[in-house]
Amino acid sequence: MVRLVLPHRVPLSPLEPRACTALAVCHKEAETTWERPTSAPGTPKSPISQMNSLPTVNGFHSSGSLSHHLETSHMALRKTSSDPQSPGVGSPTRRQNKESTITINCVTFPHPDTMPEQQLLKRDDWSYCDYFWADKKEPQSNSTIAGFDIILVKQLKGKQMQKEMAEFIRERIKIEEDYAKNLAKLSQSPLAGLEEGTLGESWTQVKKSLADEAEVHLKFSSKLQSEVEKPLLSFRENFKKDMKKFDHHISDLRKQLSARYAAVEKARKALAERQKDLEFKTQQLENKSTYKTEEDIKKARRKSTQAGDDLTRCVDLYNQTQSKWFEEMVTTTLELERLEVERIEMIRQHLCQYTQLRHETDMFNQSTIEPVDKLLRKVDPNSDRELWVKEQKTGHIRPVDMEL
Amino acid sequence: MVRLVLPHRVPLSPLEPRACTALAVCHKEAETTWERPTSAPGTPKSPISQMNSLPTVNGFHSSGSLSHHLETSHMALRKTSSDPQSPGVGSPTRRQNKESTITINCVTFPHPDTMPEQQLLKRDDWSYCDYFWADKKEPQSNSTIAGFDIILVKQLKGKQMQKEMAEFIRERIKIEEDYAKNLAKLSQSPLAGLEEGTLGESWTQVKKSLADEAEVHLKFSSKLQSEVEKPLLSFRENFKKDMKKFDHHISDLRKQLSARYAAVEKARKALAERQKDLEFKTQQLENKSTYKTEEDIKKARRKSTQAGDDLTRCVDLYNQTQSKWFEEMVTTTLELERLEVERIEMIRQHLCQYTQLRHETDMFNQSTIEPVDKLLRKVDPNSDRELWVKEQKTGHIRPVDMEL
C-alpha cells in the first residue's frame, strides 16, 4: 500500500502564565489577538507529482463553487444536528463567531469567509484522495455517510460486477455445451446412411461436419472456462476482507477524532467557568480590599491558568488525530484508486480474450465445411450409376425372337 | 418419358400346306432345314448414340463372361422350376435340343453356344437399359425378381434417402432455433448491468452481441427451412405413384408374355400329336391300301397343317409381346436413369446451398464481435473514475488544524 510522506507540522506554542492572565482578562477578543497556527494537514509542504508526494504551493478554486460546496456541507450538518449544543459524530457543533475554521462532524475545515488557498493534491486527476473529505447526508435517513465509505461501496460493487460477469460467462459456457452436445448427437444419426456413391460420400461428410462443429464449440466453452470465467472468479478472492480492514482502520480514526473533539469542547467550557469566577473575584477587590480576597484572586488565577493549559493540550491531541486521519485517508484512497484501475484493466483484458475466442470459433467453424464442399464438387451421377449397375446388374444379353 | 424409335421387324413367313407336309414328314430336322428369322428385338437396325436411338451392328462380349452369365441365369431357373413340364412364370421350360435360343422365365435369349454378336445399346454408359434383361434369384426365397424391379427399388430408396436428408436438416433447424433462443435469453440477463463508464458500455455490448448472434442463427435456421428442407421434401411429391405406374405397366407385359409362352407350348404339343397320328396312318397305307384309309390320311394331314398354322400364330403373338416388352423396358429404364441423375443433381445443389448458408452464418457471426472489440479498445479507467468522482464526490476542501 502507498505510504504518504507527511509534512512536518509546526507545534502550537504552549500557553505562558501571563498569557493566561491576558486570556483571563481579555478572553473575548482572544481569538483576534492570538497568533494562529500557520500549517494544517490540508496544506502540506512537499509536492505530489507521483502518488506518494504532496504539493508545495496552495492552489485556489473559485470561492463561488467553494462556498457553495461548504454551504451544502453546512445544510447537511444543519439537518442532521438534532441538538446543536451537544458535540460528537452525527450532531456536530459549529462555532459561529468570526473564526477562520468550521468544524463539521468533528472534522475541522477552513471557514468559507476566511478561506486559505488550497491546491488539489493531484491536480487534473480526479483522484479519490481529493474529493471525499466531507461526509455525505444519506438521502432518506438523517444519518451521514463518510466520504471514504462511498469509495468503499464503489469497490465492493466493482467486485460484485466482476463476479456477475463470471456468472454470465458461465451461462454462455452452458449454452455452448448444449449446442455441441446436440450437434454431436445429430451427426451420429443414421438418417440417409444408405445413400451410395459420390453423393453418399458427400452426405457422410455433411454428417461428420456436425461432429467437427461440435468439437469447435466444445473447445470454445472449455477455453471460456479456463481463460475467462476462472480468472474473473479467482481475481482478488479475499477482496472483501481487505476492504473491511480499510473500513475499520479509517472509521476507528474518525471515532478517536470525535472523542478528542468532545474533550476539547469540555475543556473549553471548564476554562470559560474559571475565567468567569476570576473576573467576579477581581470586581470584589475593587469594593473592599482585604488580605482574604487577595488570596482568593491568586487561587482563581491559578485554576484559570490550569484550565487554559488543559484546553491547549486537548486541541493539540485533536489536531494530531485529525492529522493522522488525513494521512491515512490520502494513502488509503490512493490505494483504492489503484485497485480500481487494476480491476478495470483486468476485466477489459478478459473480455478481449472472450472476443478473441469467439473469433477463433468462427474461423474453425469455417474449416468444418471445406471438406464437405470438396466432396460435393466431386459428386457425379454417372460414376454413381456405374458403381451401382456393376454390383446390381442381372444380365446384358437382350432377348431375341423365339423360333418355331 | 423418352419414346424409343424401334427398328422395323421382318415378319415370319406364313406356313404353306406343302411346307406343312414337309413339316409332317421330316419335323425332326425341321429346325435345321427352316430359314430362321434374321431380326430380333435385341438386334435393332438403327444406332443408339443418344438415349432414343439404337445401334446397327451387333456387339460381342467375351463368350466366357457371357456363358458364365447365362449359366447363373440357368442355375436360378433350375432351382426355381419345381416341375419342368408345366410352362409359365416362375417355372420356365428350356428346350435342350441344339437350338440357337434359350427361354428363361418365358423370356427368350440367344443360346450361349450359338451366340449372335450383340452390341450394348449405350456403349460405355453403364445404362440401365443394357444391364437388367435377366431376372434375379432372390437370396433366401426361391422366387425371382425382375431386373426392372431392381431398378424400381433403387428409385424408391433414392426417394427415401432424399426424405431422410430433409429430416436431418429439420433436426439441424431445431438445434439452431434452441441455440438462438438460449443466446437471446442470456443477452437479456441483468448480470453486471450496474457496471459503469466505458467498461460498462463494453459489457452492455458484450450482452447485445449475444442477441446479434441469436439473430444470425435464427436467420440460418429459417433459410435452412426455406432453401434446403422444403425443396428436398417437395421434390417429386407423387414419385411413388409414378413408380407404381411403371411397375404395373412392365409387369403386365411380363404376365402377357407368360400367357403367350404357355400358348406356344400348348400349340407345340398339339402339333406333335397330329404329326404322330399322320405318320401312323401313312404306315397303315403301305400294308393294305383301301379307299377308307386314303380318306383318313387326307383328314390327318389337314389337321396337322392346321396345328402347324396355330403354332406359327402363337409364336408370332409371343414375339410381338416380347418385342413390346423390350421396347417398354428400354424407354422406361432410360427414363428412370434420367430421373436418378436429376435426383442426384438436385440433392447436390441443395447440399451446396446448405454449406453456403453455414458459410454466411460464420461470416455474420464475425461481425457481431466487431462492435464489442471497438468499445473494448476505448475502455479507460481514468475517464471512468472522472465520471464517477464527478457525480459522487463529497467535498474537495481538506481539513485544517483547529485553533484555540
Side-chain angles (χ1 to χ4, degrees):
Chain A
M1 174 161 163
V2 181
R3 298 305 314 181
L4 265 190
V5 179
L6 266 224
H8 164 73
R9 300 178 56 223
V10 181
L12 298 171
S13 47
L15 283 172
E16 296 304 320
R18 83 191 82 73
C20 282
T21 321
L23 171 68
V25 188
C26 54
H27 77 277
K28 276 262 159 45
E29 61 270 16
E31 285 79 0
T32 51
T33 55
W34 283 348
E35 193 198 327
R36 305 238 154 267
T38 56
S39 79
T43 59
K45 295 223 165 354
S46 62
I48 282 190
S49 38
Q50 287 76 21
M51 270 201 170
N52 53 3
S53 56
L54 296 163
T56 36
V57 197
N58 283 341
F60 192 74
H61 283 251
S62 73
S63 61
S65 68
L66 253 174
S67 52
H68 158 74
H69 174 78
L70 282 175
E71 194 41 43
T72 50
S73 307
H74 180 194
M75 298 300 287
L77 136 80
R78 276 280 177 72
K79 289 199 194 65
T80 54
S81 90
S82 43
D83 164 23
Q85 301 321 323
S86 66
V89 180
S91 66
T93 62
R94 186 182 178 195
R95 301 165 70 194
Q96 292 294 11
N97 35 24
K98 33 183 162 42
E99 285 179 3
S100 66
T101 67
I102 174 172
T103 301
I104 302 165
N105 288 356
C106 309
V107 180
T108 304
F109 295 98
H111 194 288
D113 308 339
T114 63
M115 191 67 200
E117 290 203 341
Q118 269 192 355
Q119 186 189 38
L120 291 174
L121 298 177
K122 297 185 74 196
R123 177 198 283 276
D124 308 330
D125 227 2
W126 293 96
S127 175
Y128 291 170
C129 73
D130 269 317
Y131 292 94
F132 294 90
W133 291 113
D135 300 335
K136 183 183 188 181
K137 183 174 182 320
E138 296 254 51
Q140 45 280 81
S141 75
N142 271 346
S143 61
T144 60
I145 176 170
F148 181 78
D149 292 343
I150 289 169
I151 300 174
L152 272 184
V153 167
K154 160 80 166 170
Q155 296 276 317
L156 294 172
K157 178 182 157 195
K159 173 67 179 174
Q160 175 63 18
M161 291 304 100
Q162 166 198 324
K163 198 166 138 287
E164 290 186 12
M165 286 177 187
E167 279 178 51
F168 186 93
I169 297 297
R170 176 73 230 152
E171 289 304 312
R172 177 62 189 259
I173 289 168
K174 283 206 210 97
I175 291 175
E176 292 300 316
E177 285 170 343
D178 285 355
Y179 187 53
K181 202 187 71 213
N182 293 332
L183 286 175
K185 191 174 159 221
L186 181 53
S187 76
Q188 294 303 310
S189 154
L191 285 167
L194 298 178
E195 188 61 75
E196 295 161 314
T198 56
L199 182 61
E201 284 163 28
S202 296
W203 178 248
T204 305
Q205 191 58 46
V206 166
K207 286 177 162 186
K208 188 182 173 317
S209 75
L210 264 67
D212 300 340
E213 279 188 76
E215 262 312 302
V216 169
H217 283 272
L218 263 190
K219 187 151 190 134
F220 177 46
S221 65
S222 72
K223 283 192 161 218
L224 269 184
Q225 183 164 26
S226 59
E227 294 173 23
V228 184
E229 186 204 6
K230 271 220 171 80
L232 283 172
L233 277 180
S234 55
F235 183 69
R236 291 183 191 155
E237 262 155 350
N238 38 28
F239 184 73
K240 283 188 175 177
K241 219 180 294 168
D242 299 345
M243 291 305 110
K244 265 216 165 340
K245 274 186 212 136
F246 288 141
D247 191 15
H248 290 331
H249 184 56
I250 299 291
S251 58
D252 285 353
L253 285 169
R254 277 301 293 272
K255 287 196 193 93
Q256 205 181 337
L257 195 62
S258 308
R260 294 279 161 91
Y261 182 75
V264 167
E265 290 298 290
K266 189 159 166 256
R268 223 182 275 281
K269 278 206 185 72
L271 175 58
E273 269 162 23
R274 286 288 148 228
Q275 288 170 330
K276 206 188 256 126
D277 178 56
L278 176 60
E279 189 174 5
F280 170 73
K281 292 203 160 102
T282 313
Q283 275 165 4
Q284 272 192 328
L285 182 61
E286 283 157 14
N287 310 344
K288 44 179 167 70
S289 155
T290 67
Y291 171 77
K292 179 77 167 66
T293 344
E294 285 288 343
E295 283 303 310
D296 287 352
I297 291 174
K298 275 204 187 79
K299 206 168 164 197
R301 185 169 287 126
R302 232 182 290 108
K303 284 187 173 163
S304 173
T305 308
Q306 206 160 23
D309 294 347
D310 284 347
L311 175 59
T312 307
R313 269 190 300 281
C314 287
V315 167
D316 202 22
L317 284 172
Y318 168 88
N319 285 334
Q320 282 170 37
T321 303
Q322 182 174 260
S323 177
K324 173 71 176 160
W325 170 69
F326 169 84
E327 194 177 327
E328 293 303 321
M329 273 289 281
V330 174
T331 50
T332 309
T333 53
L334 284 176
E335 169 66 3
L336 294 183
E337 184 174 308
R338 192 187 64 74
L339 289 175
E340 175 64 359
V341 170
E342 197 179 66
R343 180 189 79 95
I344 290 173
E345 291 291 5
M346 182 279 298
I347 289 176
R348 195 192 66 78
Q349 177 197 326
H350 287 93
L351 292 184
C352 285
Q353 185 56 24
Y354 164 80
T355 60
Q356 179 57 27
L357 290 174
R358 272 273 291 100
H359 178 74
E360 285 170 6
T361 301
D362 296 331
M363 300 306 272
F364 291 141
N365 250 342
Q366 292 281 20
S367 64
T368 62
I369 333 173
E370 281 152 21
V372 181
D373 283 326
K374 207 167 146 216
L375 286 172
L376 280 172
R377 279 190 292 272
K378 287 189 196 157
V379 168
D380 173 14
N382 296 326
S383 66
D384 284 6
R385 184 177 61 252
E386 174 173 349
L387 189 82
W388 181 76
V389 168
K390 275 176 173 169
E391 72 190 13
Q392 295 291 334
K393 62 183 159 57
T394 63
H396 65 276
I397 303 300
R398 288 190 293 281
V400 291
D401 272 359
M402 175 190 283
E403 302 131 339
L404 269 180
Chain B
M1 176 161 164
V2 181
R3 296 307 311 182
L4 265 191
V5 180
L6 269 227
H8 165 71
R9 301 179 56 226
V10 180
L12 298 172
S13 48
L15 285 172
E16 296 302 319
R18 81 188 87 71
C20 281
T21 322
L23 171 67
V25 188
C26 51
H27 80 278
K28 276 257 158 48
E29 59 269 17
E31 286 81 358
T32 52
T33 56
W34 281 351
E35 193 198 325
R36 304 237 154 268
T38 54
S39 78
T43 61
K45 292 218 169 358
S46 61
I48 280 190
S49 39
Q50 286 77 21
M51 270 199 171
N52 51 4
S53 57
L54 296 164
T56 35
V57 199
N58 281 341
F60 192 75
H61 282 253
S62 72
S63 62
S65 68
L66 251 175
S67 54
H68 158 75
H69 174 78
L70 281 176
E71 194 40 44
T72 51
S73 308
H74 181 196
M75 296 300 286
L77 136 80
R78 276 277 177 71
K79 287 200 196 66
T80 52
S81 88
S82 43
D83 165 22
Q85 301 323 321
S86 68
V89 180
S91 68
T93 62
R94 186 183 180 197
R95 301 166 69 195
Q96 291 294 14
N97 35 24
K98 36 183 162 42
E99 286 180 1
S100 64
T101 67
I102 175 173
T103 302
I104 303 165
N105 288 356
C106 308
V107 180
T108 305
F109 295 98
H111 194 287
D113 311 337
T114 62
M115 191 66 202
E117 288 203 342
Q118 271 193 353
Q119 186 189 39
L120 291 174
L121 299 179
K122 297 184 78 195
R123 176 198 283 277
D124 308 330
D125 227 2
W126 292 97
S127 176
Y128 291 169
C129 73
D130 269 317
Y131 293 93
F132 293 89
W133 291 113
D135 299 335
K136 184 183 186 181
K137 181 172 182 323
E138 295 255 51
Q140 45 278 83
S141 75
N142 272 346
S143 62
T144 61
I145 177 170
F148 181 78
D149 291 343
I150 288 170
I151 301 174
L152 271 184
V153 167
K154 160 79 167 171
Q155 297 277 315
L156 295 171
K157 178 182 157 197
K159 173 69 178 173
Q160 176 62 19
M161 292 303 101
Q162 164 198 327
K163 200 167 136 287
E164 290 186 12
M165 287 177 186
E167 278 177 51
F168 186 93
I169 298 296
R170 177 73 229 153
E171 289 305 312
R172 177 61 189 261
I173 290 167
K174 283 205 209 96
I175 291 175
E176 293 299 317
E177 285 171 343
D178 286 356
Y179 186 53
K181 203 188 72 214
N182 292 333
L183 286 176
K185 191 173 159 222
L186 181 53
S187 76
Q188 294 302 310
S189 152
L191 285 168
L194 298 178
E195 187 60 75
E196 295 160 315
T198 55
L199 182 61
E201 285 163 27
S202 296
W203 178 248
T204 306
Q205 190 58 46
V206 166
K207 286 177 162 186
K208 190 184 171 315
S209 74
L210 264 67
D212 299 340
E213 279 188 76
E215 261 312 301
V216 170
H217 284 272
L218 262 191
K219 188 150 190 136
F220 177 46
S221 65
S222 73
K223 282 191 162 221
L224 270 184
Q225 183 164 25
S226 59
E227 295 173 23
V228 183
E229 185 203 6
K230 270 220 171 79
L232 283 172
L233 277 180
S234 55
F235 183 71
R236 293 184 188 153
E237 262 156 352
N238 38 28
F239 184 73
K240 284 189 176 178
K241 218 181 293 165
D242 300 345
M243 290 305 111
K244 263 214 166 346
K245 273 185 214 137
F246 288 141
D247 189 17
H248 290 331
H249 184 56
I250 299 291
S251 58
D252 285 351
L253 286 170
R254 278 299 294 272
K255 286 197 196 91
Q256 205 180 337
L257 194 61
S258 310
R260 293 279 162 89
Y261 181 75
V264 167
E265 291 297 292
K266 191 161 163 253
R268 219 180 279 281
K269 277 208 186 70
L271 174 60
E273 271 162 23
R274 287 285 149 232
Q275 290 170 328
K276 205 186 258 130
D277 179 54
L278 175 60
E279 189 174 2
F280 169 74
K281 291 203 160 107
T282 312
Q283 278 166 3
Q284 272 189 327
L285 181 63
E286 286 156 12
N287 309 345
K288 46 174 167 70
S289 156
T290 69
Y291 172 79
K292 177 82 166 71
T293 343
E294 285 285 344
E295 284 303 308
D296 285 353
I297 292 174
K298 277 204 185 85
K299 207 169 168 195
R301 184 169 288 124
R302 234 182 289 109
K303 283 187 174 164
S304 173
T305 308
Q306 206 162 25
D309 295 347
D310 283 349
L311 175 58
T312 309
R313 268 191 302 279
C314 286
V315 169
D316 200 24
L317 284 172
Y318 169 88
N319 285 335
Q320 282 171 36
T321 302
Q322 182 174 260
S323 177
K324 172 70 176 163
W325 170 70
F326 169 84
E327 195 177 327
E328 292 303 322
M329 272 289 281
V330 174
T331 49
T332 309
T333 54
L334 285 176
E335 169 67 4
L336 294 183
E337 184 175 308
R338 190 187 66 74
L339 289 175
E340 175 63 0
V341 170
E342 196 179 67
R343 180 189 78 96
I344 290 173
E345 291 292 5
M346 182 279 296
I347 289 175
R348 195 192 67 78
Q349 175 197 328
H350 287 93
L351 293 185
C352 285
Q353 185 57 23
Y354 164 80
T355 61
Q356 178 57 26
L357 291 174
R358 272 274 290 101
H359 178 74
E360 285 171 5
T361 302
D362 296 330
M363 300 306 271
F364 291 141
N365 251 341
Q366 292 282 21
S367 64
T368 63
I369 332 172
E370 280 153 21
V372 181
D373 283 326
K374 208 169 146 210
L375 286 172
L376 280 172
R377 280 190 291 273
K378 287 189 194 155
V379 168
D380 173 14
N382 296 326
S383 66
D384 284 5
R385 184 176 62 251
E386 174 173 348
L387 190 82
W388 181 75
V389 167
K390 275 177 173 169
E391 71 191 12
Q392 295 292 335
K393 61 184 160 59
T394 62
H396 63 276
I397 303 299
R398 287 189 294 281
V400 292
D401 273 359
M402 173 189 285
E403 302 131 341
L404 269 179

